Amino acid sequence: MSSVTTVEVEAIPPSTEGVPSTGQLCETCTPLVSTLNEQRPGTPSRDSTLLSGVEPYADSDRVFENLSTRIPQSKFHRFVTTCLVINASFVQGTFVIISGRIGSVYGHKNIVVLGGAWFTICSLANGFTGQSYAAFIIMRALTGIGGALIMPNAVSIITTTLPPGKARNLSLALFGGAPALGGGVGGLLAGAFVEFEGGKRWLFVTVLLAYMSFGIFLWYMVSWQELVRHWSALHLTVGLIPFCISAAIGTGLAAFLIPRIAAQYIIAIGVISVLISNILLATMPREQTYWAQVFPAVISVSLCPDFVYTAAQIIASNSVRRKDQGIAGSLIGTLNLYGGSLGLGFAGTVESRINHTHQSHAPLLGYRAALAFGAGISAIALFIDLFFVRMPKDEREGWEDEEDRESAGIALVTATGTSREDAERGVAVSRGAGALN
């Protein structure tokens, strides 16, 4: 029988070298964690005043204020930033597990609409939270519920509508790329809305709505003439020649008016033109001569892109420094393209729903409803433009900022190969023009 030798081994405390502590894992919460670890029943902690002055039912903003005074500012700001970043994703990840099943019971389309409405309301409410950290974080977390309701049910709509194959693969690929595109465009528009002054912010909304209405007019004018009146491609092209001529004239007229009247009135001319054009098409009969309503509608709508785009581009470029001109140009271009596609998306939904409900009157009734929707959008744009956009006449000649004038002179040397003396002479002339203005 073998003997067992017992050896006493001195207890060696586990090494903590290289192992992150709780505080290191969440550095922003270190003071709070250490306080909780030191707290013992009946024994007040040496930092028991962490939440001093906060009643059990005090509002959460006071808690944040107390934390901000007890936790070093840099760590507190990281703590708040972390909450802002992760809370919506965390909540969305929690609810996305069950939202697909909810869609199966109540209908995927209904849940997508509910999720979109929820997301919109919570996002809008975020804009009214003021300087309250707690309210902002809570409302942002609630937007995650909307995202959770949308994502799996939108995928389910695609996969149940399209069988396995190229169409489904392409649709899912486009759906996967939509968040990046939407986030980029939304960030650009939101950044511009924050960057520019109040009147210019509303200007961008007006421009977006105007281009939505213009895109609707163009699409349904072509659809009506080709699908209902059976125009050929050549016939349609000839019918658009007045648009090209009138647009060329309108471009020069818009540039002429910029230094003479306030920009909101130039924008208003363009918005009124697309409003009239949509109404003319929405009210015309099935068959009619081109000259009765299509021709005046084409002439009128040609002023919309010229007046709206030219005025908006000049205002945007004149509102930023020389180094930021590319950003200003891309912003207006984004409003142009995004507005056209967004307007057609809404108008197509209106058309399909009307035609589905009144199949005996399709497709004309759907066309009329979509054009009426375009007219309504332009009417909203006109209201915003006249009551909220305030842009004075821009009579400047040359760069106002000294640094911009100097950089313009250097750019002239680089681009044209002129001498430094000639460039400086040009900068001096620009400086003198700026002083006279």
Side-chain angles (χ1 to χ4, degrees), residues 125-303:
N126 246 334
F128 296 93
T129 55
Q131 299 181 353
S132 171
Y133 282 126
F136 188 88
I137 291 174
I138 291 171
M139 294 310 302
R140 175 164 168 77
L142 290 176
T143 60
I145 299 177
L149 294 174
I150 294 172
M151 189 175 67
N153 290 287
V155 172
S156 296
I157 292 175
I158 295 174
T159 55
T160 55
T161 303
L162 302 174
K166 293 182 179 179
R168 176 191 278 192
N169 298 341
L170 178 60
S171 298
L172 289 175
L174 293 175
F175 180 80
L181 177 62
V185 174
L188 179 63
L189 297 179
F193 199 79
V194 172
E195 181 73 18
F196 291 93
E197 299 170 359
K200 296 172 185 175
R201 297 174 187 174
W202 289 111
L203 167 69
F204 297 133
V205 177
T206 303
V207 172
L208 179 65
L209 294 175
Y211 276 119
M212 289 174 63
S213 182
F214 175 75
I216 292 171
F217 168 87
L218 199 59
W219 174 265
Y220 286 98
M221 189 275 290
V222 173
S223 298
W224 196 309
Q225 297 302 104
E226 283 195 343
L227 302 180
V228 177
R229 295 178 177 173
H230 307 292
W231 280 25
S232 66
L234 179 60
H235 194 180
L236 184 63
T237 304
V238 173
L240 287 174
I241 289 178
F243 174 88
C244 302
I245 297 174
S246 180
I249 297 173
T251 302
L253 182 60
F256 173 79
L257 292 175
I258 283 291
R260 291 169 173 80
I261 63 176
Q264 65 263 26
Y265 300 120
I266 299 176
I267 301 290
I269 296 173
V271 174
I272 292 173
S273 70
V274 73
L275 171 62
I276 294 174
S277 298
N278 275 288
I279 293 175
L280 284 172
L281 289 193
T283 56
M284 67 182 181
R286 181 185 185 93
E287 297 292 342
Q288 187 186 47
T289 177
Y290 166 80
W291 304 102
Q293 285 178 264
V294 177
F295 175 72
V298 167
I299 294 294
S300 175
V301 81
S302 65
L303 298 180

Side-chain angles (χ1 to χ4, degrees), residues 334-381:
T334 300
L335 293 174
N336 180 0
L337 300 174
Y338 196 62
S341 59
L342 189 63
L344 286 178
F346 284 114
T349 302
V350 172
E351 177 201 351
S352 63
R353 296 301 300 172
I354 293 297
N355 285 337
H356 178 74
T357 306
H358 304 84
Q359 296 184 8
S360 60
H361 296 85
L364 278 185
L365 191 59
Y367 289 179
R368 295 185 196 279
L371 289 165
F373 175 75
I377 290 177
S378 55
I380 295 173

